């Protein structure tokens, strides 16, 4: 079995140019020297970064530049296929906010579910995004929390270190962590193969995994989204147009892993897959009787997306993972503020799509252990921890000064939405019949 975990030194850093900023559906231009400031200004992330009453800030690191390099490589990898993928990775980082109208909120995430709060030895990011999270936060701080949980959570954090937070949050399933970059780099993609007509089985939810699957589908892969009756994709409750963007043209299967027939159908579906995308801790699918290692032995490329790696029990979402991995800007007083909107999600989704296109060799598949925190941290090499450079207001709006002169600060921009997203389970019978899977 081929396995690639966090051992590739430079997977995100290969530079083969950047995609044009004139629009999402444009061909890659000739190579140019990287200019991280320009890429951030073009990305739509700056209006989502900074204090609400202050100017847009430039995030640290090179995430926007790296996102453009990834989509440039995707364009090259899919150029000979029936559906070349030509998008601007930098702009893709902010596209959810184009649908939701999110804006910068300083130490509160753009979506409002995560906070940056001081600890006894630094800062931490803590999320309260799920219906059960208030109760989990109450268990974290050993108190019954009021409707507004944050004052008591902040008081508890002020008396505890980041390490103590992780020790208590991990077994509870609280998405939280201290602001401290990860050390291990993400896996490195290999040579790409055409993915047109390959079967992608997508167990993921929310943003990172579905974005990966959407990009594969854009290149012509056949994507089947899998949900269970009790755990539908939480993004179905979010912005409907953004959900359509990520799922239009895919087929939806709902299977119950608590029944023998459901487990058998899941096993057969995975056996038929060329690529599996999942975004849960390993024990979740193992509880369904599914083993990534066995699928890889049979030639499947398995992309496993987790907050902090398959060996970690920590959970996380895009905002807290990005901030805890060090992707925070600093205001004029040096306090950390969120960068963009859940940036760990689109960064990881882009990178996972490139990994998923890797051609297996030697008759075996590949298990890619994709840690969202490692993907984020790899964009921060040499990042300055001091106050971030701010945009300045001119008669035409906010601009930022790059090495090529003043650059307008772009607003978040979403790709056009075409087609309809399937309802949950809409294609269950159809997909099982096509694959020769029979259930009573």
């Amino acid at each position: 079995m081929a396995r690639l975990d966090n051992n590739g030194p430079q997977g995100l850093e290969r530079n083969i140019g950047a995609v044009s900023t004139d629009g999402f559906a444009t061909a890659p231009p000739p190579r140019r020297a990287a200019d991280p400031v320009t890429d951030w200004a073009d990305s739509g992330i700056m209006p989502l970064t900074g204090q609400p009453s202050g100017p847009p800030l430039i995030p640290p690191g090179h995430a926007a530049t790296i996102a453009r390099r990834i989509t440039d490589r995707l364009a090259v990898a899919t150029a000979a296929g029936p559906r070349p993928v030509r998008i601007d990775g930098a702009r893709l980082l902010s596209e959810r906010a184009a649908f939701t109208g999110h804006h910068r909120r300083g130490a509160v995430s753009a979506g409002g579910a995560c906070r940056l709060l001081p600890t006894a030895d630094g800062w931490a990011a803590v999320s309260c995004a799920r219906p059960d999270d208030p109760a989990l936060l109450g268990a974290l701080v050993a108190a019954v929390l009021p409707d507004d949980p944050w004052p008591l959570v902040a008081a508890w954090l002020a008396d505890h270190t980041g390490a103590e937070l992780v020790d208590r949050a991990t077994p509870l399933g609280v998405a939280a962590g201290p602001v401290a970059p990860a050390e291990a780099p993400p896996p490195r993609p290999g040579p790409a193969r055409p993915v047109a007509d390959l079967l992608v089985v997508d167990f993921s939810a929310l943003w990172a995994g579905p974005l990966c699957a959407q990009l594969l589908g854009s290149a012509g892969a056949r994507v089947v989204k899998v949900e269970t009756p009790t755990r539908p994709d939480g993004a179905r409750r979010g912005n409907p147009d953004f959900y359509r963007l990520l799922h239009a043209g895919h087929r939806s299967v709902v299977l119950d892993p608590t029944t023998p027939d459901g487990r058998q159908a899941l096993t057969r579906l995975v056996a038929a897959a060329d690529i599996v995308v999942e975004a849960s801790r390993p024990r979740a699918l193992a509880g369904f009787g599914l083993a990534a290692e066995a699928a890889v032995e049979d030639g499947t490329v398995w992309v496993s997306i987790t907050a902090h790696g398959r060996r970690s029990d920590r959970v996380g979402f895009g905002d807290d993972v990005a901030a805890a991995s060090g992707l925070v800007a600093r205001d004029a007083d040096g306090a950390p503020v969120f960068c963009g909107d859940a940036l760990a999600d689109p960064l990881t989704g882009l990178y996972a799509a490139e990994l998923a296109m890797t051609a297996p060799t030697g008759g075996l598949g590949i298990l890619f252990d994709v840690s969202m925190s490692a993907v984020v941290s790899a964009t921060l090499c040499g990042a300055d921890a001091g106050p971030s450079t701010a945009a300045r207001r001119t008669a035409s709006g906010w601009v930022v000064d790059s090495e090529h002169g003043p650059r307008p600060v772009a607003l978040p921009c979403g790709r056009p939405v075409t087609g309809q997203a399937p309802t949950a389970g809409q294609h269950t019978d159809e997909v099982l019949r096509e694959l020769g899977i029979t259930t009573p």
Side-chain angles (χ1 to χ4, degrees):
M1 177 186 70
R3 178 189 179 96
L4 291 179
D5 15 66
N6 298 339
N7 56 14
Q10 301 294 332
L12 291 177
E13 292 296 335
R14 289 183 292 156
N15 182 6
I16 62 169
V19 176
S20 168
T21 61
D22 293 335
F24 271 70
T26 55
R31 296 186 186 189
R32 64 165 173 79
D35 179 5
V37 172
T38 292
D39 294 329
W40 279 125
D42 292 343
S43 70
I45 290 296
M46 288 185 62
L48 305 173
T49 304
Q51 296 291 356
S53 60
L57 300 178
I58 300 174
H62 311 275
T65 300
I66 288 170
R68 279 185 158 165
R69 292 173 179 171
I70 292 173
T71 50
D72 206 12
R73 294 196 292 268
L74 294 181
V76 172
T78 61
R83 294 166 61 181
V85 176
R86 298 191 181 101
I87 57 177
D88 183 337
R91 289 193 181 189
L92 187 145
L93 298 181
S94 68
E95 70 176 355
R96 186 172 73 169
F99 292 94
T100 63
H102 289 163
H103 52 84
R104 61 186 179 277
R105 301 174 66 176
V108 178
S109 64
C114 191
R115 299 287 192 278
L116 281 164
L117 298 166
T119 66
D121 61 348
W123 290 83
V126 182
S127 283
C128 185
R130 300 164 294 188
D132 293 339
D133 279 346
L136 295 177
L137 288 175
L140 176 75
V141 305
V144 177
L145 297 180
D147 290 341
D148 180 3
W150 294 112
L152 285 180
V153 172
W156 185 89
L157 286 170
D159 291 332
H160 293 80
T161 66
E164 291 173 318
L165 169 63
V166 171
D167 287 344
R168 287 181 64 88
T170 299
L172 292 170
V174 172
V179 177
E183 296 181 358
R188 184 172 183 172
R193 61 170 169 171
V195 297
D197 294 325
L198 295 185
L199 177 61
V200 177
V201 173
D202 177 23
F203 288 99
S204 68
L206 301 179
W207 192 357
L211 174 59
C212 170
Q214 189 269 325
L215 293 171
L216 296 173
S218 295
R222 297 173 293 134
V223 179
V224 174
K225 182 177 183 65
V226 182
E227 297 166 276
T228 68
T230 58
R231 292 292 298 273
D233 186 347
R236 289 185 180 274
R237 301 188 300 269
N239 183 276
D241 289 331
F242 184 65
Y243 188 85
R244 284 175 55 211
L245 175 70
L246 295 182
H247 296 91
H250 299 178
R251 294 193 289 177
S252 171
V253 166
V254 172
L255 296 169
D256 187 350
T258 66
T259 67
D261 290 333
R263 290 169 70 92
Q264 181 184 36
L266 282 170
T267 299
R268 295 278 302 278
L269 185 59
V270 168
D274 299 291
I275 300 169
V276 171
V277 180
E278 52 99 357
S280 55
R281 287 171 289 180
R283 67 172 181 263
L285 290 186
F288 299 167
L290 303 176
E293 292 78 7
V296 169
E297 292 285 352
D298 290 335
T300 303
V301 172
W302 190 292
V303 180
S304 173
I305 299 172
T306 58
H308 301 282
R310 288 174 65 86
R311 296 181 179 89
S312 172
D313 283 331
R314 292 176 62 189
V315 301
F317 301 105
D319 283 308
D320 59 85
V321 170
S325 301
L327 185 49
V328 293
R330 301 278 173 170
D331 65 15
D333 297 324
V337 295
F338 283 99
C339 295
D341 173 26
L343 266 180
D345 276 310
L347 279 172
T348 303
L350 277 170
Y351 190 57
E354 184 175 20
L355 292 173
M357 291 184 183
T358 298
T361 59
L364 295 176
I366 309 170
L367 172 56
F368 286 111
D369 183 358
V370 187
S371 159
M372 295 170 69
S373 60
V375 170
V376 172
S377 295
T379 72
L380 293 170
C381 298
D384 186 356
S388 301
T389 302
R392 56 185 175 86
R393 191 186 294 277
T394 66
S396 59
W398 294 106
V399 300
V400 64
D401 294 315
S402 75
E403 60 182 286
H404 304 299
R407 186 77 178 186
V409 174
L411 295 174
C413 177
R415 290 172 288 168
V417 179
T418 58
Q420 296 296 321
T423 58
Q426 180 178 341
H427 305 98
T428 301
D429 293 340
E430 172 186 313
V431 169
L432 297 186
R433 184 172 58 251
E434 286 182 7
L435 297 176
I437 302 171
T438 59
T439 59

